[in-house]
Amino acid sequence: MSQDTLDGVDHLKRSIDWKQGLAIALGVPLLILPSLGYLPSYVAAAAILIWGLSILQTFFQNTAYAELATTFPEASGLPGFVQHVFRTENYKGKYDKGKLLGGSCAWFYALAWSSVLSIFSILVGGYLEALFPSLANHLTSYQLGLLSGVVIFTLLSVVNWFGLRDGAILGYILAAVSLIPLAVLTIAPFATGHVDMANITGSWAPADWSWNSHHILILFGLFAIALWSTGGWETAAIYAPEYKNPGRDVPKALYTCGVICFFSFVLVQAVVIGVLGVDGVQAEPISPLVPVAHAVFGDAGTTITIIMLIAAMILIIQTAYLGSARALHSMAEEGNLPRVLGHTNRRGTPFIAMFAAAAFNLALLFIGSIPAILAASAIGYTAANGIGLFAYVKAKTNPAFANLERPFKAPKGWKWVALAFGLFNLPLCVIGVVYLNSLEIGWTSTLLGFVVLASFIPIWLYTQHEVRSRAEKERRSATNAADDVIATQQVDRSVI
């Protein structure tokens, strides 16, 4: 019997190339949608600069992640290699603190990606109400969001049951339906002259902005919110165990997606401010692209935009669904979550982890508040990135990893770059986003977010008990088997 069978965890199958990994990650530019009106409410047109700087930050971070992903090709992206780096080999004590740290990082990461499903399901419900106003006569916005989530999760579960390759095919289809019209909507206002640069240059910063502790903490918080969106394109690395050639495919998928994200995030924010002005964006904070489409294309353009955005949001839900499920599968592989989450079907899909992610998000949908869900998500994702960068530093300095093959290598001295951005994320941006959340939604939702993040500890302790019990059972079985062999040999000798 193989060790995989004994452990009750199955390995993912190598079935995709970099183009298919890119297709799945192409939903990431849509992560700007919940924050298109949020950032300008604090920093006016300077939101354009924050998006650009945040993308540059993720280029630096993802260079480190690309090296880790190819150094540990069997690990599922950030949650996988962080768990691998921080665990202690042949640990003899009861609880491995390094393993707990790596598992916590993976838990933060999984929750951050998983919450995308519920956030965008709520948004889909809102856009459906705008597309079909008569629905408001029968369903509330809350009910419509909940129903949208159930339908979307069910459809994506069916599609992704048949493996990552088919999920990538869905990504190709949705990318054509949503990202191409999004590009047109971004470029057309510049071509038609609807973008007024005075709306940008004349409102570059709020009139009351000052570099005091209050505004600096807000700025750190905004970078955490921006990272929740821009950092998502590292998801192209999470499929390292499923790429046919990780050393070649991971960097190609990552950097191609990064270039697309840079222009997308910067230009989309510039367009909505250039067309509507800062005041116009704040008047339509959730869906500012709708009035942009109306200004450029008229009523027909508004309908097309809503249809396009719904398709786009399904694409990002697909990206998040796959990412969170594989993070949970990775944790089960490493013994940080119950091993039942590590099972895959015969097509290599971690279906139990996938269903667990869907169930968790159905519970989040009952909250019905995007800011409340985003509170824990942004905190967890920023902390996960900080720990992930510290893992890169350890992997570069610890002699235990010195002789590992590194098909892709970051430039010399990159560990110092990773350390700097790790400290920027944790603690600076985490403190900032906690402060920002306290201003926006109060301490109750923020504390609830910390409770959700901390719930990993009792789950992890149970899992360690499960791992020890299984190991003890296997040891006893091996001992009994050896005793049976010895007894059989003694009987044979007595007969002789």
Side-chain angles (χ1 to χ4, degrees):
M1 184 178 292
S2 69
Q3 185 62 40
D4 292 340
T5 304
L6 287 172
D7 292 343
V9 172
D10 310 311
H11 287 301
L12 303 174
K13 294 183 179 180
R14 296 195 179 279
S15 60
I16 63 171
D17 59 22
W18 72 271
K19 295 185 291 296
Q20 291 166 314
L22 172 64
I24 296 170
L26 277 178
V28 172
L30 283 306
L31 285 173
I32 195 175
L33 294 181
S35 303
L36 266 177
Y38 186 80
L39 265 64
S41 69
Y42 280 101
V43 293
I48 301 168
L49 178 62
I50 290 181
W51 288 119
L53 292 175
S54 187
I55 287 288
L56 291 178
Q57 175 187 348
T58 54
F59 264 106
F60 286 114
Q61 293 182 178
N62 287 347
T63 298
Y65 296 155
E67 180 175 334
L68 282 175
T70 57
T71 305
F72 306 102
E74 298 299 330
S76 292
L78 189 152
F81 53 67
V82 170
Q83 292 174 95
H84 189 86
V85 168
F86 281 117
R87 72 182 179 188
T88 305
E89 295 292 342
N90 301 316
Y91 187 75
K92 301 299 183 182
K94 191 173 183 180
Y95 298 115
D96 181 355
K97 296 182 179 64
K99 188 174 184 178
L100 175 60
L101 177 61
S104 297
C105 175
W107 178 253
F108 298 162
Y109 180 93
L111 291 186
W113 264 113
S114 186
S115 64
V116 172
L117 281 70
S118 54
I119 289 172
F120 277 84
S121 293
I122 295 171
L123 286 175
V124 167
Y127 278 99
L128 283 173
E129 189 175 6
L131 187 62
F132 304 107
S134 60
L135 288 175
N137 298 327
H138 307 283
L139 297 169
T140 65
S141 298
Y142 171 79
Q143 292 170 332
L144 198 53
L146 185 62
L147 182 60
S148 298
V150 172
V151 172
I152 292 171
F153 299 164
T154 300
L155 290 176
L156 291 182
S157 296
V158 171
V159 170
N160 290 296
W161 174 270
F162 296 101
L164 189 57
R165 185 174 179 178
D166 292 316
I169 293 173
L170 178 61
Y172 285 136
I173 296 171
L174 291 177
V177 171
S178 60
L179 293 184
I180 293 176
L182 181 62
V184 172
L185 187 60
T186 303
I187 296 170
F190 285 101
T192 59
H194 282 83
V195 174
D196 184 356
M197 295 305 295
N199 286 337
I200 297 174
T201 58
S203 303
W204 185 248
D208 62 345
W209 183 269
S210 62
W211 292 99
N212 55 26
S213 58
H214 169 70
H215 285 98
I216 290 174
L217 284 173
I218 287 176
L219 192 61
F220 282 139
L222 291 178
F223 270 104
I225 295 294
L227 180 65
W228 183 88
S229 300
T230 61
W233 57 275
E234 51 78 23
T235 190
I238 201 173
Y239 308 113
E242 295 165 89
Y243 284 120
K244 296 173 183 176
N245 187 337
R248 179 192 64 196
D249 292 331
V250 170
K252 280 187 177 182
L254 269 175
Y255 291 130
T256 304
C257 191
V259 171
I260 294 171
C261 286
F262 179 84
F263 288 103
S264 177
F265 278 90
V266 171
L267 288 178
V268 169
Q269 186 70 81
V271 161
V272 297
I273 294 177
V275 174
L276 305 177
V278 173
D279 291 338
V281 173
Q282 293 180 9
E284 192 70 44
I286 301 300
S287 54
L289 284 176
V290 173
V292 169
H294 189 270
V296 178
F297 299 114
D299 292 337
T302 303
T303 301
I304 293 172
T305 298
I306 293 175
I307 295 173
M308 175 270 293
L309 288 175
I310 290 174
M313 286 185 279
I314 294 175
L315 172 59
I316 190 57
I317 291 172
Q318 156 80 346
T319 302
Y321 200 20
L322 293 174
S324 58
R326 276 153 180 77
L328 295 175
H329 174 274
S330 172
M331 294 177 72
E333 275 195 316
E334 292 288 340
N336 284 316
L337 281 181
R339 62 174 180 166
V340 66
L341 292 168
H343 288 300
T344 64
N345 63 16
R346 61 183 179 180
R347 293 179 178 270
T349 299
F351 66 100
I352 297 180
M354 194 167 64
F355 295 153
F360 174 73
N361 274 273
L362 286 174
L364 289 180
L365 283 173
F366 283 100
I367 297 175
S369 169
I370 291 177
I373 298 171
L374 190 58
S377 184
I379 294 169
Y381 188 68
T382 307
N385 273 273
I387 298 172
L389 292 168
F390 297 149
Y392 176 79
V393 174
K394 180 177 180 180
K396 295 292 284 186
T397 56
N398 192 318
F401 306 110
N403 297 322
L404 294 178
E405 182 182 357
R406 300 173 187 266
F408 171 82
K409 289 185 178 180
K412 187 177 181 181
W414 209 255
K415 64 181 179 181
W416 304 114
V417 176
L419 179 61
F421 279 104
L423 293 172
F424 178 69
N425 284 315
L426 189 65
L428 296 180
C429 286
V430 169
I431 294 173
V433 76
V434 169
Y435 180 74
L436 192 60
N437 286 337
S438 70
L439 297 178
E440 286 284 329
I441 58 177
W443 284 106
T444 301
S445 295
T446 303
L447 291 175
L448 178 62
F450 277 112
V451 170
V452 173
L453 295 174
S455 65
F456 172 68
I457 295 177
I459 297 174
W460 185 81
L461 292 174
Y462 167 78
T463 303
Q464 302 317 297
H465 172 73
E466 179 188 67
V467 169
R468 288 195 304 272
S469 298
R470 188 170 67 253
E472 178 63 21
K473 182 178 180 180
E474 291 172 357
R475 187 188 66 78
R476 289 176 180 173
S477 296
T479 301
N480 291 337
D483 291 342
D484 289 343
V485 170
I486 293 173
T488 301
Q489 291 174 344
Q490 290 175 343
V491 170
D492 291 343
R493 288 172 184 167
S494 65
V495 171
I496 293 174

